[in-house]
Amino acid sequence: MANKILEVKDVKARVEDNEILHGLNLTINEGETHVIMGPNGAGKSTLGNVLMGNPKYEKISGQIFFNGEDITEAGTDEIAKKGMFLSFQNPIEVPGITLSNFIRNAYQNRNGGRIRLWDFRKDLENSMKLLSMDPSYANRDLNVGFSGGEKKKAEILQLLMLKPNLAILDETDSGLDVDAVKTVSEGIKAYKEKVGGALIIITHSTRILESLDVDYTHILVDGKIVKSGDATLVDEINREGFEKYITK
């Protein structure tokens, strides 16, 4: 019997006075890949931020369990240490800390101990090669001066290095050309093969899904999941869009 890694029970959440999630329920088992799609403003990115404990998003009611622990009131740092990862639509620039040092510090915090510098550099080098990243980016300040594509690759590099139990990828493919999407997809595929972690992929496009085995697809409308299915639901959305799921 599969073990639940994430259980979201009737969660309502808001930003300031605007309630965005209206009683959302979701269950994910270890190793599964779930795709979340929906129209603009449906609450997809809000869901990712609420799961990661972003303090900007206030949970009104409901519970969130991660690996059997109630993390409803947990902070972002605590949740990350427990093995959850969120990539951003628009990764921010962080002057003063290199990409390499950022990942190494995050790794050591995640695992509660130091990593041998040689082992870390070798793993970083191999992961950057997989993503066709210029090795010099490791010594550049995090995302400073990076193109949109390189920022997204840097996010997947963190995914490969930190090896979380659950990764939430929020519009990772947005703004990428065909070649960059293919490279990022290979990185995600490598994470699945090497780590076996669970995935939540929030996306408008299906290009990033082409090399992945999707277990479940969910349609999110007005802060609730209105339909769930297997990978064939993605094809239905591509053909018919979201119109029939939107309440007039």
Side-chain angles (χ1 to χ4, degrees):
M1 183 176 179
N3 294 322
K4 292 178 185 177
I5 190 168
L6 180 73
E7 192 171 12
V8 182
K9 293 185 174 182
D10 199 30
V11 167
K12 296 182 180 180
R14 65 188 171 202
V15 178
E16 297 178 347
D17 294 327
N18 184 22
E19 184 176 319
I20 300 175
L21 299 183
H22 306 295
L24 189 142
N25 292 280
L26 178 66
T27 298
I28 296 177
N29 293 319
E30 289 181 348
E32 290 180 346
T33 296
H34 289 239
V35 174
I36 297 181
M37 304 182 76
N40 290 332
K44 301 185 298 296
S45 293
T46 295
L47 173 60
N49 280 284
V50 166
L51 292 177
M52 279 300 302
N54 186 334
K56 179 182 175 183
Y57 297 79
E58 180 187 354
K59 302 177 190 75
I60 303 169
S61 62
Q63 289 179 291
I64 301 171
F65 294 89
F66 182 53
N67 278 327
E69 286 188 67
D70 188 340
I71 62 164
T72 309
E73 302 301 329
T76 301
D77 184 61
E78 182 183 352
I79 293 170
K81 286 179 180 178
K82 291 180 184 298
M84 193 183 296
F85 173 91
L86 172 66
S87 73
F88 296 98
Q89 286 189 46
N90 301 299
I92 62 171
E93 297 184 358
V94 185
I97 181 169
T98 65
L99 174 60
S100 175
N101 284 339
F102 176 82
I103 294 176
R104 190 178 181 208
N105 288 336
Y107 181 95
Q108 291 177 162
N109 277 302
R110 158 97 166 90
N111 294 281
R114 300 186 66 82
I115 180 176
R116 290 174 54 191
L117 185 58
W118 168 258
D119 293 336
F120 173 79
R121 285 178 173 171
K122 193 66 178 175
D123 195 6
L124 185 67
E125 178 186 337
N126 291 335
S127 296
M128 293 186 79
K129 186 179 296 184
L130 175 67
L131 295 171
S132 301
M133 289 187 73
D134 184 332
S136 68
Y137 276 75
N139 298 315
R140 291 176 57 175
D141 286 358
L142 179 62
N143 292 327
V144 176
F146 288 24
S147 68
E150 294 298 339
K151 286 181 179 180
K152 297 299 179 72
K153 287 183 181 181
E155 294 278 288
I156 301 303
L157 178 64
Q158 293 168 48
L159 171 68
L160 291 171
M161 294 294 294
L162 297 177
K163 302 175 177 62
N165 306 114
L166 171 65
I168 306 162
L169 307 182
D170 188 4
E171 301 286 358
T172 300
D173 51 347
S174 66
L176 300 182
D177 61 29
V178 174
D179 291 334
V181 168
K182 184 177 180 181
T183 300
V184 166
S185 295
E186 286 300 313
I188 298 170
K189 186 178 179 182
Y191 160 76
K192 288 291 293 183
E193 291 174 349
K194 295 178 181 179
V195 180
L199 275 175
I200 297 176
I201 301 176
I202 299 169
T203 185
H204 282 289
S205 168
T206 57
R207 292 181 302 167
I208 200 168
L209 306 176
E210 292 174 0
S211 63
L212 299 174
D213 293 324
V214 174
D215 296 296
Y216 295 96
T217 304
H218 309 281
I219 299 176
L220 186 64
V221 175
D222 193 26
K224 287 185 177 182
I225 291 175
V226 297
K227 184 171 182 178
S228 297
D230 56 20
T232 61
L233 185 53
V234 173
D235 299 325
E236 179 186 317
I237 295 168
N238 283 335
R239 290 193 312 269
E240 303 176 16
F242 302 111
E243 190 67 26
K244 68 180 181 181
Y245 301 105
I246 300 173
T247 303
K248 300 295 185 182

